[in-house]
Amino acid sequence: MTHQVHAFEPPERFVAGTVGPPGERTFFLQARGGGRLVSVALEKVQVSLLAEKLEELLTEATRRFGVSLPEAPVAAVDNAPLDTPVDEEFRVGTLGLAFDVDTATVVIEAIAVGEPEPTEELGEELEEDDDEEPDEDLDRLRVRLTPAGVREFIERARRVVAAGRAPCPLCGQPLDPAGHLCPRHNGYHR
């Protein structure tokens, strides 16, 4: 089976969003452009780390290359839900970031989790090819954004991550609407 590269350079819209109620949310990265819509699933911690690392990348690009960064977006905040249908293309295993100095854009690449499909017939031994990267045969989503687009993505991603369940003031674990067994209260409901 061949791998697919879903490239949006640039997308009309690139956002992080969720489907489901707090505590049961599934996180997605979604890119739309050229009549295509691609949604890939990932973990909450991956969305949080992506926003953090994008912020670091923009700061480093300013320091090293003198890129002028826009301030955090004030108007036209994208609070719209994910576009439908939200069909998961793949689950993200690896996220890659790069700054393209020539175009002053940020490239975000989300690579599918898992092992590539073997292309050899059964019964034959697969040979290790050291020249090939292990994730080269995996599906990926590649998005190229301007620094302003990255800022908008970071702000929305942070809002989406923070919109979950409130933390317990004693132990920090998320509070469920049905109750919470707090380890600081020796397992009594709180």
Side-chain angles (χ1 to χ4, degrees):
M1 182 178 234
T2 61
H3 71 283
Q4 290 184 321
V5 177
H6 305 280
F8 293 86
E9 299 186 11
E12 293 169 12
R13 183 178 189 224
F14 179 64
V15 295
T18 62
V19 173
E24 300 173 15
R25 298 187 298 171
T26 302
F27 287 78
F28 289 94
L29 293 178
Q30 189 177 72
R32 178 185 70 208
R36 298 179 301 144
L37 179 66
V38 175
S39 303
V40 296
L42 68 169
E43 299 296 324
K44 178 180 181 177
V45 69
Q46 289 175 302
V47 174
S48 179
L49 283 172
L50 179 59
E52 179 183 324
K53 295 302 178 185
L54 282 169
E55 187 72 46
E56 290 175 14
L57 181 69
L58 288 178
T59 303
E60 186 67 16
T62 300
R63 188 182 70 73
R64 291 180 66 193
F65 307 116
V67 175
S68 62
L69 295 179
E71 293 298 318
V74 178
V77 175
D78 184 357
N79 283 327
L82 294 174
D83 294 330
T84 55
V86 180
D87 294 328
E88 179 181 323
E89 293 290 328
F90 58 85
R91 179 158 289 280
V92 175
T94 306
L95 289 165
L97 303 176
F99 185 79
D100 185 347
V101 180
D102 296 334
T103 60
T105 57
V106 174
V107 178
I108 302 168
E109 192 166 80
I111 303 169
V113 69
E115 295 294 318
E117 295 288 326
T119 56
E120 302 294 322
E121 293 291 323
L122 292 176
E124 294 180 22
E125 290 186 30
L126 294 176
E127 295 180 13
E128 291 291 324
D129 185 4
D130 294 333
D131 297 338
E132 192 173 310
E133 290 190 30
D135 60 356
E136 197 172 286
D137 290 335
L138 298 174
D139 289 349
R140 57 189 69 221
L141 168 64
R142 183 177 303 132
V143 178
R144 183 178 299 269
L145 298 173
T146 64
V150 172
R151 282 272 190 231
E152 291 171 12
F153 176 84
I154 290 170
E155 293 303 315
R156 179 179 168 118
R158 287 181 175 158
R159 285 192 315 272
V160 166
V161 168
R165 298 174 288 171
C168 172
L170 298 175
C171 69
Q173 294 180 359
L175 293 172
D176 288 323
H180 169 64
L181 291 175
C182 183
R184 300 283 304 265
H185 280 227
N186 293 326
Y188 287 100
H189 277 281
R190 186 162 154 58

